[in-house]
Amino acid sequence: MKLLSTTLLTTVIASGLLLCGCSGGGPGSETNSGNTSGSIGTGSGGSTIKWVAGEFTPYPQLANQCDAALKEKLWLRSWSNDTYLWYSEIPDRDPAPYSVGDYFDTLKTTELSETGNEKDKFHFSMSTAEWEQLNQSGASVSYGLNFHLQQASASTDRKVTVTYTEPNSPATSANIARGAVIVSINGVSVKDANDTASISVLNQGLFPSSSGQQTRFTLLDLGASQTRDVTLSAQTVVSTPVQNVNLIATDTGTVGYIQFNSHIATAERGLVDAINSLRSSGVNDLVLDLRYNGGGLLALASQLGYMVAGEQATQNRIFERSSFNSKYPTTDPVTGAALTPMPFIDESIGFNAGLLGAGQALPSLNLNRLFVLTTDNTCSASEALMNSLRGIDIEVIQIGGTTCGKPYGFYPTPNCGTTYFTIQFKGENDKGFGDYSDGFIPSTSPTLASEIPGCDMADDFSKPLGDKNEAMLSAALYYRDNNRCPAVSASMAKSAPKPQFIDHGFTLEDTRMQNVLLNNRILTQVK
């Protein structure tokens, strides 16, 4: 068994970084904001704390100084200049005119990728308390509804469709299921809302901000001819990241299916139980449904990679090699440790000790191929799993849509009650490949390194997840038997370009509630 080194343990065990003892002072907070001179008070030794273009106080000296917004902004500036992957592309702006949150938004590159896309689409922050609760227990205030939001465009109407619900949530109590369309929220039409006030009602309803918030939804259930009204009361819902562990009998053997929604701490036990169950049933193939998995803890992806491929395929192989900015070619700027590639982890880490302790040998299926179901919500740690298995010559077959394209990650870093997420590293597999910033693309005839054999298909909301007749899963089973895509995939194709949104600001304003781990590849270290 490969024992994790002390250095590696500091990067994979989920805990906070530099946990803040200060309160308040999060994004938008402007304690002592009346100071517009770009300087405030005195630092250690009587020196003035101020902004000087091109000069950066070491960020540890500014950490957790929560009595004035300028100090928080200067901490963000120095922290970004030291650890941001593209630090040299951040304009050095005077922080005085900005709130803390708005200033953080400016501390990222505005450059485009080689293909003309925004280089950094993954910059965000959230309350430290909420982040810790969500990451450690999967708990957040919601109705237990997860949905696909089709924005309005020149050719499509705005539409909100339920993709899945969390067990034991207000949504399941109201018998809301995949495929239901939300027609209106608190009397405001989803399709027709076209003013600021109406859009605000829709956003507030979809993304509740406090437990007890009640919202009236008008729903058209899948297959129904009449709408129905339900009133849901938001509550703290604990996410179930591993769902629908099923066995599918075929003429050529038993196929396992796992719906895996998020790489959060509680997923460790769920994945171990799922793999143990499938192994005892003798599955000879696995369909891993990652279509809504935006990422999370990278070590969980490493563990899952081991559990798919097994000891022989992963022994002495690299799951992912991380590289940071040009200031740190050989050391990790956050931990200070020498850069060490992450192996395929073959034992439990104990992310959530109440569910599974550390040091237990992981089960494995010893498969030489994996079918993955993907959409543009499949991101980061999920993409790392796909990339790393390909790096050790495990065949990956991709069914669905192009993934989000995020070979980057970060350490969640708290300061003054807010945890910040800024791109700090890029990952590569055992073969040195990590150039998929435009996503992994399913293709019947791959020519690019980022194209993966498989079938380009849209999400199918007409069947439950895990149903062998659901289009993506059905295509995976067909491909398994015929080594090609079914004809139906042409009618479900995802090849059309994304529409330009013209919906007057109807956006995912509060990403915490839909999936805070969306687009995230996270390393954490021990306090």
Side-chain angles (χ1 to χ4, degrees):
M1 177 180 295
K2 296 189 291 288
L3 297 177
L4 298 178
S5 69
T6 302
T7 298
L8 180 60
L9 279 171
T10 64
T11 61
V12 298
I13 296 180
S15 288
L17 290 178
L18 307 173
L19 291 179
C20 174
C22 302
S23 61
S29 173
E30 282 298 300
T31 306
N32 199 16
S33 60
N35 185 321
T36 59
S37 65
S39 64
I40 189 168
T42 58
S44 58
S47 60
T48 301
I49 298 176
K50 61 181 180 180
W51 173 76
V52 178
E55 296 182 11
F56 298 87
T57 301
Y59 73 88
Q61 296 180 21
L62 298 167
N64 301 329
Q65 296 189 37
C66 311
D67 58 321
L70 178 60
K71 296 178 182 179
E72 296 181 49
K73 288 182 281 190
L74 291 176
W75 175 84
L76 282 168
R77 173 176 172 265
S78 292
W79 171 68
S80 300
N81 180 67
D82 190 63
T83 69
Y84 186 58
L85 185 62
W86 303 291
Y87 71 94
S88 62
E89 298 175 14
I90 301 175
D92 189 11
R93 298 181 176 93
D94 183 350
Y98 299 91
S99 69
V100 174
D102 288 344
Y103 190 60
F104 175 67
D105 291 342
T106 73
L107 296 173
K108 70 186 193 91
T109 181
T110 57
E111 299 293 321
L112 301 178
S113 69
E114 292 180 359
T115 53
N117 295 318
E118 186 180 358
K119 186 186 267 188
D120 186 353
K121 303 171 289 185
F122 312 105
H123 200 71
F124 81 104
S125 63
M126 67 181 298
S127 156
T128 296
E130 289 178 288
W131 159 246
E132 291 179 343
Q133 181 183 43
L134 181 60
N135 181 47
Q136 290 301 306
S137 66
S140 62
V141 175
S142 75
Y143 308 111
L145 280 174
N146 292 268
F147 45 81
H148 171 74
L149 192 146
Q150 175 182 289
Q151 305 279 16
S153 74
S155 59
T156 60
D157 290 329
R158 185 187 302 117
K159 187 177 182 181
V160 178
T161 306
V162 175
T163 56
Y164 70 93
T165 58
E166 293 291 352
N168 305 311
S169 68
T172 52
S173 296
N175 296 316
I176 301 174
R178 176 176 171 83
V181 174
I182 300 176
V183 177
S184 67
I185 300 172
N186 285 333
V188 175
S189 168
V190 170
K191 179 172 73 72
D192 298 326
N194 60 4
D195 61 82
T196 302
S198 297
I199 296 302
S200 178
V201 170
L202 297 181
N203 275 313
Q204 289 172 10
L206 289 173
F207 307 107
S209 58
S210 59
S211 183
Q213 176 181 324
Q214 292 193 330
T215 301
R216 177 166 54 89
F217 294 93
T218 300
L219 303 169
L220 182 64
D221 292 310
L222 182 65
S225 58
Q226 299 292 324
T227 62
R228 65 182 175 109
D229 287 348
V230 297
T231 298
L232 302 181
S233 181
Q235 65 183 47
T236 299
V237 175
V238 177
S239 171
T240 303
V242 181
Q243 299 185 23
N244 291 339
V245 181
N246 296 332
L247 296 172
I248 303 170
T250 76
D251 293 339
T252 53
T254 303
V255 178
Y257 169 88
I258 300 175
Q259 176 190 341
F260 182 31
N261 296 330
S262 183
H263 290 73
I264 58 176
T266 53
E268 185 179 37
R269 178 57 184 266
L271 289 172
V272 169
D273 289 347
I275 297 299
N276 269 323
S277 175
L278 297 180
R279 185 178 66 168
S280 65
S281 299
V283 301
N284 54 18
D285 266 309
L286 173 64
V287 178
L288 186 64
D289 197 336
L290 298 173
R291 73 184 79 187
Y292 307 125
N293 192 320
L297 297 168
L298 197 60
L300 277 171
S302 173
Q303 291 176 302
L304 181 54
Y306 171 82
M307 288 190 279
V308 168
E311 181 178 4
Q312 184 173 347
T314 61
Q315 191 168 25
N316 299 321
R317 305 295 293 272
I318 291 171
F319 176 80
E320 185 164 285
R321 180 184 292 105
S322 297
S323 59
F324 292 79
N325 66 38
S326 59
K327 295 181 180 181
Y328 295 95
T330 60
T331 59
D332 183 320
V334 177
T335 66
L339 292 182
T340 303
M342 178 180 285
F344 285 84
I345 300 171
D346 62 0
E347 61 182 26
S348 62
I349 298 170
F351 281 117
N352 193 310
L355 297 177
L356 183 69
Q360 300 180 33
L362 296 179
S364 62
L365 298 176
N366 300 310
L367 300 177
N368 57 21
R369 69 177 174 182
L370 175 69
F371 293 84
V372 291
L373 309 184
T374 65
T375 66
D376 56 1
N377 289 324
T378 306
C379 202
S380 203
S382 292
E383 293 173 300
L385 172 66
M386 297 166 63
N387 191 46
S388 296
L389 287 175
R390 297 183 78 210
I392 60 170
D393 297 317
I394 299 299
E395 182 182 12
V396 175
I397 300 165
Q398 182 181 358
I399 309 293
T402 300
T403 63
C404 87
K406 185 170 182 282
Y408 313 114
F410 35 57
Y411 286 89
T413 306
N415 191 65
C416 298
T418 297
T419 293
Y420 297 94
F421 302 77
T422 197
I423 298 298
Q424 292 160 319
F425 63 91
K426 179 180 179 180
E428 296 180 343
N429 65 17
D430 192 73
K431 294 182 178 180
F433 178 73
D435 294 324
Y436 52 90
S437 61
D438 289 325
F440 283 119
I441 306 163
S443 174
T444 55
S445 53
T447 56
L448 302 176
S450 58
E451 293 180 331
I452 297 180
C455 311
D456 183 13
M457 303 188 70
D459 204 351
D460 173 17
F461 303 118
S462 68
K463 299 288 190 302
L465 296 176
D467 186 323
K468 65 180 181 180
N469 294 314
E470 186 273 323
M472 284 193 195
L473 179 53
S474 176
L477 297 174
Y478 184 91
Y479 196 106
R480 176 178 177 271
D481 289 337
N482 300 280
N483 202 36
R484 59 185 174 88
C485 299
V488 71
S489 67
S491 65
M492 298 287 290
K494 289 278 289 182
S495 57
K498 293 182 180 179
Q500 295 298 309
F501 299 155
I502 54 169
D503 77 357
H504 309 285
F506 185 45
T507 58
L508 299 180
E509 289 185 342
D510 191 344
T511 55
R512 294 171 301 174
M513 311 318 300
Q514 174 68 353
N515 182 3
V516 72
L517 294 178
L518 183 65
N519 302 338
N520 295 345
R521 175 189 306 230
I522 296 166
L523 289 176
T524 51
Q525 70 171 133
V526 190
K527 290 184 284 184

